[in-house]
Amino acid sequence: AAPCDIYASGGTPCVAAHSTTRALFSAFTGSLYQVKRASDGATKNIAPLSAGGVANAAAQDSFCAGTTCLITIIFDQTGRSNHLTQAPPGGAAQGPEAGGFDSLAAADGAPVTLNGQKAYGVFIPPGTGYRNDATNGIATGDASEGMYAVLDGTHFNGGCCFDYGNAETSARDTGNGHMEAIYFGDITVWGSGAGRGPWIMADLENGLFSGFNVKVNTGDPSVTSRFVTAVVKGQPNNWAIRGGNAASGALSTAYNGVRPNATGYNPMKKEGAIILGIGGDNSIGAQGTFYEGVMTSGFPSDATENSVQANIVAAKYATTSRVSGPAVNVGSTVSFRATTACCTTRFIAHTGTAVNTQVVTSGSSSALKLSASWNVVTGLANSECVSFESRDTPGSFIRHFNFGLLVNANDGSKQFHEDATFCPRAGLNGQGSSLQSWSYPTRYFRHFNNVLSIARSGGPQTFDSATSFNDDISFVVGAAFA
Ligand code: AHR
Ligand code: AHR
């Protein structure tokens, strides 16, 4: 049995079921998600390899070969059409895309394996979000519901709010108790749990709750596993947070009791929209990775959830690398040569903090040669990927800021580490490597008017132009000049 079969036999059926990695009903053979490619705007639906099985990641890989793809739709597997699509602007924020919509996730940002078969999760940077404001069968008012999500326990931040669950149908903050969603991250503006986080909390609107108290509840532990199962459920004057390692072991209960010690949360005023990666009012400051999740009708028993956790563990989520193409070895010193026809004698260099391309030859000054030479080090944020230290300014690294590339001193912050981590991939034009931003996987090193940024073909920035995109993001990584 799959998670939604288990919830159904427990009397609390799924009313929404979302996953880009696998079917959540054992009989499900329909589309799991849709991808759209930059090259021609065509879309393709990705289905499980077999009924109840893992997503056909190879179909995505061949459709997206030689271009980049975004996840446009995460289909609802329940038959209720509670699909998740690009989130519209809300009360807190306009998204970065046309019309104030939020960005869409890269199709290849979160590769994993399930029982050894490759699949892709939904890697959500700040500014990215999905939503459905016109749902069918999702709890409203004080009605009972449950939900779980499988997330990446190492991908989070302190922005508001990486959520999955029940939110306002208006994308506006309509008051306390108008949401009931899983939150994951280490924001401490509202509640928090034991240790330094990240924590599973419940976003009930105008508050992330870790238990009965408005602020700290030490019964809610910091999450330390790579894969995490997060559970929130609620019924009249009773709600719970549960969690566990999605790759092994059981769920434990962080809180199960009455509604929080604050006004406006009993009775609840749930509205029944569904959000992923954002707050109820389209707050877009958070990041995280989603693999699968459901919402139920009715308050699931702990026993039902324990069986779902056993099923998740049996799915055997495991990591796999985001890196491909020619080796870019830690410990080596490198140069990056542009491959666009205009620019094949130009190399990535820097002038002060500005990263650019310059013509460099064996006859160039030693200062220019050094400015075009880089140490490859283990990725500051993630050891699967790499960071590039300036040879002429030790301790300074290439990092993105407002999507431009800069050489800045490492200030030791998590933000800097993430901004300075890149995952080399086979060059998109067939030459060399394309350097994918770890934290914004839709974006790659690009030279545009000889200035470096992280760019996405067709994105909202000037340097996101689709013209010569594949060439502009492909660099031959060779020996350093100095
Ligand atoms: O409850 C925390 C956040 O507060 C909600 O997600 C958002 O709607 C509001 O800004
Ligand atoms: O480059 C995008 C973001 O801009 C970086 O992650 C952050 O440092 C800055 O706000």
Side-chain angles (χ1 to χ4, degrees):
C4 288
D5 307 314
I6 296 166
Y7 280 113
S9 31
T12 52
C14 292
V15 287
H18 301 113
S19 178
T20 55
T21 63
R22 65 172 183 144
L24 300 175
F25 290 87
S26 51
F28 188 79
T29 55
S31 296
L32 298 170
Y33 63 106
Q34 182 191 72
V35 296
K36 181 179 183 181
R37 63 187 178 200
S39 53
D40 60 359
T43 59
K44 183 174 181 62
N45 291 347
I46 305 297
L49 287 162
S50 58
V54 174
N56 186 355
Q60 173 184 313
D61 289 342
S62 62
F63 181 74
C64 301
T67 183
T68 53
C69 279
L70 301 173
I71 296 172
T72 38
I73 305 174
I74 305 166
F75 290 108
D76 172 24
Q77 301 177 27
T78 69
R80 291 176 178 271
S81 295
N82 289 326
H83 313 311
L84 293 171
T85 58
Q86 188 173 18
Q94 301 259 319
E97 307 295 327
F101 278 70
D102 295 349
S103 297
L104 294 164
D108 64 352
V112 287
T113 60
L114 280 74
N115 275 308
Q117 289 175 309
K118 191 175 182 188
Y120 293 101
V122 187
F123 188 107
I124 295 191
T128 295
Y130 295 81
R131 189 169 196 118
N132 185 326
D133 286 329
T135 60
N136 173 322
I138 304 297
T140 58
D142 206 28
S144 306
E145 67 178 347
M147 62 195 78
Y148 83 86
V150 176
L151 308 170
D152 180 340
T154 66
H155 184 211
F156 60 89
N157 72 2
C160 176
C161 291
F162 184 76
D163 288 351
Y164 173 73
N166 195 323
E168 292 94 340
T169 54
S170 61
R172 275 163 180 79
D173 180 348
T174 49
N176 296 0
H178 284 249
M179 295 177 63
E180 188 167 70
I182 294 164
Y183 165 84
F184 182 68
D186 69 348
I187 194 170
T188 55
V189 172
W190 295 284
S192 57
R196 298 175 53 184
W199 305 281
I200 303 164
M201 296 193 276
D203 191 342
L204 305 180
E205 189 51 280
N206 298 312
L208 304 177
F209 292 90
S210 54
F212 178 66
N213 298 313
V214 171
K215 296 298 283 189
V216 182
N217 294 281
T218 52
D220 193 17
S222 289
V223 167
T224 56
S225 57
R226 169 63 174 77
F227 295 101
V228 53
T229 307
V231 173
V232 166
K233 55 184 167 180
Q235 63 183 343
N237 201 20
N238 176 213
W239 68 288
I241 300 175
R242 308 184 73 209
N245 181 339
S248 71
L251 295 176
S252 52
T253 300
Y255 178 75
N256 188 336
V258 298
R259 290 289 175 182
N261 189 16
T263 54
Y265 300 100
N266 183 31
M268 294 289 283
K269 299 143 197 100
K270 303 171 209 179
E271 296 190 21
I274 307 172
I275 52 173
L276 173 59
I278 51 180
D281 57 5
N282 197 44
S283 292
I284 51 172
Q287 64 186 24
T289 296
F290 175 90
Y291 300 105
E292 61 175 74
V294 312
M295 300 173 69
T296 69
S297 173
F299 188 84
S301 68
D302 285 2
T304 295
E305 290 164 350
N306 296 345
S307 301
V308 169
Q309 164 69 2
N311 174 275
I312 293 165
V313 170
K316 284 198 164 48
Y317 274 93
T319 58
T320 184
S321 177
R322 259 169 72 174
V323 170
S324 66
V328 179
N329 292 316
V330 170
S332 64
T333 59
V334 299
S335 59
F336 302 96
R337 185 177 64 75
T339 64
T340 313
C342 60
C343 301
T344 56
T345 59
R346 303 186 75 95
F347 292 80
I348 296 178
H350 71 108
T351 306
T353 59
V355 183
N356 49 34
T357 62
Q358 300 186 45
V359 176
V360 187
T361 67
S362 54
S364 295
S365 70
S366 49
L368 178 56
K369 285 179 176 172
L370 211 51
S371 104
S373 298
W374 309 90
N375 295 327
V376 180
V377 305
T378 302
L380 295 173
N382 189 297
S383 60
E384 291 168 12
C385 300
V386 294
S387 296
F388 303 111
E389 183 183 25
S390 168
R391 293 276 288 163
D392 64 18
T393 316
S396 287
F397 295 81
I398 299 179
R399 64 84 62 94
H400 61 87
F401 189 83
N402 291 335
F403 307 125
L405 284 181
L406 300 174
V407 171
N408 278 166
N410 180 3
D411 65 10
S413 66
K414 180 167 174 278
Q415 182 74 61
F416 185 92
H417 292 169
E418 294 179 354
D419 290 351
T421 299
F422 301 93
C423 306
R425 323 224 351 144
L428 213 61
N429 72 352
Q431 297 179 61
S433 298
S434 292
L435 289 313
Q436 185 184 46
S437 163
W438 178 80
S439 51
Y440 289 83
T442 60
R443 297 187 168 275
Y444 296 80
F445 272 32
R446 184 202 192 151
H447 63 98
F448 189 81
N449 296 332
N450 304 327
V451 173
L452 266 288
S453 60
I454 51 168
R456 182 188 102 215
S457 180
Q461 313 276 347
T462 308
F463 49 70
D464 291 335
S465 163
T467 306
S468 72
F469 181 83
N470 285 6
D471 291 337
D472 291 354
I473 71 161
S474 299
F475 296 90
V476 173
V477 182
F481 288 99

Tab-separated table of all heavy atoms in Angstrom, residues 7 17 23 40 88 100 116 121 125 139 151 156 181-182 200 208 223 242 285 315 370 381 387 391 422 433 438 482:
chain	number	residue	atom	x	y	z
A	7	TYR	N	-3.899	6.048	4.394
A	7	TYR	CA	-4.816	7.040	4.974
A	7	TYR	C	-6.274	6.635	4.733
A	7	TYR	O	-7.125	6.809	5.611
A	7	TYR	CB	-4.560	8.429	4.394
A	7	TYR	CG	-3.395	9.183	5.005
A	7	TYR	CD1	-2.255	9.457	4.256
A	7	TYR	CD2	-3.441	9.650	6.314
A	7	TYR	CE1	-1.190	10.169	4.796
A	7	TYR	CE2	-2.385	10.358	6.873
A	7	TYR	CZ	-1.265	10.620	6.116
A	7	TYR	OH	-0.213	11.322	6.653
A	17	ALA	N	-2.689	15.110	-2.965
A	17	ALA	CA	-1.489	14.263	-2.906
A	17	ALA	C	-0.536	14.751	-3.981
A	17	ALA	O	-0.855	14.704	-5.172
A	17	ALA	CB	-1.842	12.797	-3.123
A	23	ALA	N	4.396	7.856	-7.072
A	23	ALA	CA	2.947	7.768	-6.900
A	23	ALA	C	2.634	7.567	-5.428
A	23	ALA	O	3.327	6.828	-4.732
A	23	ALA	CB	2.390	6.616	-7.723
A	40	ASP	N	12.014	25.800	-26.427
A	40	ASP	CA	10.867	26.069	-27.305
A	40	ASP	C	9.564	26.257	-26.530
A	40	ASP	O	8.498	26.361	-27.142
A	40	ASP	CB	10.716	24.931	-28.327
A	40	ASP	CG	10.492	23.583	-27.680
A	40	ASP	OD1	10.461	23.510	-26.431
A	40	ASP	OD2	10.350	22.582	-28.414
A	88	PRO	N	0.457	33.165	-7.397
A	88	PRO	CA	0.202	34.554	-7.782
A	88	PRO	C	0.707	35.522	-6.706
A	88	PRO	O	1.015	35.105	-5.588
A	88	PRO	CB	-1.321	34.599	-7.873
A	88	PRO	CG	-1.785	33.607	-6.858
A	88	PRO	CD	-0.747	32.499	-6.870
A	100	GLY	N	3.878	39.631	-11.278
A	100	GLY	CA	4.071	39.469	-9.838
A	100	GLY	C	3.962	38.034	-9.368
A	100	GLY	O	3.887	37.773	-8.165
A	116	GLY	N	16.983	3.157	-5.348
A	116	GLY	CA	17.995	3.125	-6.402
A	116	GLY	C	17.580	3.772	-7.702
A	116	GLY	O	18.415	3.944	-8.593
A	121	GLY	N	13.181	16.002	-6.751
A	121	GLY	CA	12.325	16.771	-5.862
A	121	GLY	C	12.177	18.203	-6.358
A	121	GLY	O	12.627	18.558	-7.460
A	125	PRO	N	14.091	27.975	-3.991
A	125	PRO	CA	14.844	29.121	-3.466
A	125	PRO	C	13.877	30.225	-3.024
A	125	PRO	O	12.684	30.179	-3.360
A	125	PRO	CB	15.651	29.601	-4.678
A	125	PRO	CG	15.443	28.584	-5.755
A	125	PRO	CD	14.143	27.907	-5.453
A	139	ALA	N	-9.992	20.915	4.041
A	139	ALA	CA	-10.690	21.371	5.247
A	139	ALA	C	-10.848	22.885	5.246
A	139	ALA	O	-9.922	23.621	4.885
A	139	ALA	CB	-9.926	20.928	6.490
A	151	LEU	N	10.781	16.262	3.216
A	151	LEU	CA	11.574	17.450	2.900
A	151	LEU	C	13.061	17.134	3.031
A	151	LEU	O	13.438	16.113	3.600
A	151	LEU	CB	11.201	18.577	3.881
A	151	LEU	CG	9.701	18.897	4.006
A	151	LEU	CD1	9.453	19.846	5.171
A	151	LEU	CD2	9.160	19.475	2.706
A	156	PHE	N	17.149	24.869	4.179
A	156	PHE	CA	16.184	25.675	4.937
A	156	PHE	C	16.811	27.049	5.115
A	156	PHE	O	17.989	27.266	4.800
A	156	PHE	CB	15.898	25.021	6.302
A	156	PHE	CG	17.128	24.887	7.164
A	156	PHE	CD1	17.522	25.886	8.031
A	156	PHE	CD2	17.929	23.748	7.081
A	156	PHE	CE1	18.668	25.775	8.810
A	156	PHE	CE2	19.089	23.617	7.853
A	156	PHE	CZ	19.456	24.639	8.715
A	181	ALA	N	-0.637	24.828	8.237
A	181	ALA	CA	0.333	24.287	7.284
A	181	ALA	C	1.571	23.797	8.021
A	181	ALA	O	1.892	24.272	9.115
A	181	ALA	CB	0.727	25.366	6.267
A	182	ILE	N	2.271	22.854	7.401
A	182	ILE	CA	3.597	22.450	7.878
A	182	ILE	C	4.568	23.575	7.542
A	182	ILE	O	4.576	24.067	6.407
A	182	ILE	CB	4.055	21.163	7.161
A	182	ILE	CG1	3.168	19.984	7.546
A	182	ILE	CG2	5.531	20.872	7.452
A	182	ILE	CD1	3.316	18.792	6.595
A	200	ILE	N	10.342	21.620	12.642
A	200	ILE	CA	9.009	21.468	12.067
A	200	ILE	C	8.071	22.258	12.970
A	200	ILE	O	8.055	22.034	14.179
A	200	ILE	CB	8.564	19.987	12.047
A	200	ILE	CG1	9.560	19.122	11.279
A	200	ILE	CG2	7.152	19.862	11.486
A	200	ILE	CD1	9.392	17.623	11.556
A	208	LEU	N	4.170	30.955	13.779
A	208	LEU	CA	4.635	29.580	13.592
A	208	LEU	C	4.690	28.987	14.988
A	208	LEU	O	5.349	29.546	15.873
A	208	LEU	CB	6.023	29.564	12.944
A	208	LEU	CG	6.124	30.304	11.616
A	208	LEU	CD1	7.555	30.278	11.108
A	208	LEU	CD2	5.183	29.694	10.589
A	223	VAL	N	15.860	19.407	13.769
A	223	VAL	CA	15.944	18.301	12.807
A	223	VAL	C	17.397	18.158	12.355
A	223	VAL	O	18.053	19.156	12.043
A	223	VAL	CB	15.028	18.584	11.605
A	223	VAL	CG1	15.313	17.642	10.442
A	223	VAL	CG2	13.565	18.487	12.034
A	242	ARG	N	4.312	16.148	14.459
A	242	ARG	CA	5.116	14.929	14.566
A	242	ARG	C	6.227	14.994	13.529
A	242	ARG	O	6.145	15.744	12.549
A	242	ARG	CB	4.251	13.674	14.364
A	242	ARG	CG	3.008	13.659	15.274
A	242	ARG	CD	2.218	12.369	15.149
A	242	ARG	NE	2.904	11.260	15.781
A	242	ARG	CZ	2.801	9.985	15.403
A	242	ARG	NH1	2.042	9.662	14.366
A	242	ARG	NH2	3.460	9.037	16.041
A	285	GLY	N	10.357	34.734	1.354
A	285	GLY	CA	11.748	34.771	1.813
A	285	GLY	C	12.372	33.423	2.114
A	285	GLY	O	13.558	33.362	2.433
A	315	ALA	N	10.411	3.378	0.867
A	315	ALA	CA	10.664	3.975	-0.458
A	315	ALA	C	12.150	4.256	-0.645
A	315	ALA	O	12.602	4.494	-1.764
A	315	ALA	CB	9.858	5.256	-0.631
A	370	LEU	N	46.764	36.259	-12.763
A	370	LEU	CA	46.334	35.831	-11.423
A	370	LEU	C	44.847	36.136	-11.215
A	370	LEU	O	44.128	35.356	-10.582
A	370	LEU	CB	47.195	36.548	-10.375
A	370	LEU	CG	47.489	35.836	-9.062
A	370	LEU	CD1	48.033	34.432	-9.278
A	370	LEU	CD2	48.491	36.664	-8.249
A	381	ALA	N	28.840	25.516	1.047
A	381	ALA	CA	27.533	25.169	1.612
A	381	ALA	C	27.215	23.695	1.465
A	381	ALA	O	26.364	23.170	2.183
A	381	ALA	CB	26.427	25.977	0.942
A	387	SER	N	33.350	25.556	-4.596
A	387	SER	CA	33.440	27.010	-4.543
A	387	SER	C	34.748	27.426	-5.196
A	387	SER	O	35.684	26.624	-5.307
A	387	SER	CB	33.375	27.497	-3.091
A	387	SER	OG	32.121	27.178	-2.513
A	391	ARG	N	42.614	33.549	-6.774
A	391	ARG	CA	44.055	33.294	-6.555
A	391	ARG	C	44.778	34.558	-6.079
A	391	ARG	O	45.776	34.470	-5.388
A	391	ARG	CB	44.714	32.797	-7.852
A	391	ARG	CG	44.246	31.433	-8.313
A	391	ARG	CD	44.971	30.303	-7.640
A	391	ARG	NE	46.344	30.161	-8.109
A	391	ARG	CZ	47.281	29.483	-7.465
A	391	ARG	NH1	47.004	28.912	-6.294
A	391	ARG	NH2	48.492	29.398	-7.965
A	422	PHE	N	28.583	26.272	-6.145
A	422	PHE	CA	28.157	26.025	-7.525
A	422	PHE	C	28.394	24.555	-7.873
A	422	PHE	O	29.348	23.942	-7.403
A	422	PHE	CB	28.931	26.952	-8.481
A	422	PHE	CG	28.701	28.405	-8.156
A	422	PHE	CD1	29.566	29.099	-7.313
A	422	PHE	CD2	27.564	29.060	-8.615
A	422	PHE	CE1	29.327	30.423	-6.962
A	422	PHE	CE2	27.316	30.386	-8.274
A	422	PHE	CZ	28.197	31.075	-7.441
A	433	SER	N	31.870	23.052	-19.130
A	433	SER	CA	30.983	22.920	-17.975
A	433	SER	C	30.054	24.119	-17.870
A	433	SER	O	30.418	25.231	-18.234
A	433	SER	CB	31.815	22.848	-16.683
A	433	SER	OG	32.658	21.718	-16.682
A	438	TRP	N	24.182	26.546	-6.570
A	438	TRP	CA	23.597	25.558	-5.649
A	438	TRP	C	22.252	26.059	-5.121
A	438	TRP	O	21.283	25.305	-5.058
A	438	TRP	CB	24.534	25.281	-4.453
A	438	TRP	CG	23.909	24.318	-3.502
A	438	TRP	CD1	23.860	22.954	-3.624
A	438	TRP	CD2	23.152	24.644	-2.319
A	438	TRP	NE1	23.129	22.423	-2.587
A	438	TRP	CE2	22.682	23.430	-1.777
A	438	TRP	CE3	22.838	25.849	-1.682
A	438	TRP	CZ2	21.911	23.384	-0.622
A	438	TRP	CZ3	22.058	25.801	-0.530
A	438	TRP	CH2	21.605	24.573	-0.009
A	482	ALA	N	47.994	31.152	-13.433
A	482	ALA	CA	49.006	31.464	-12.408
A	482	ALA	C	48.551	30.903	-11.069
A	482	ALA	O	47.386	30.586	-10.882
A	482	ALA	CB	49.190	32.971	-12.283
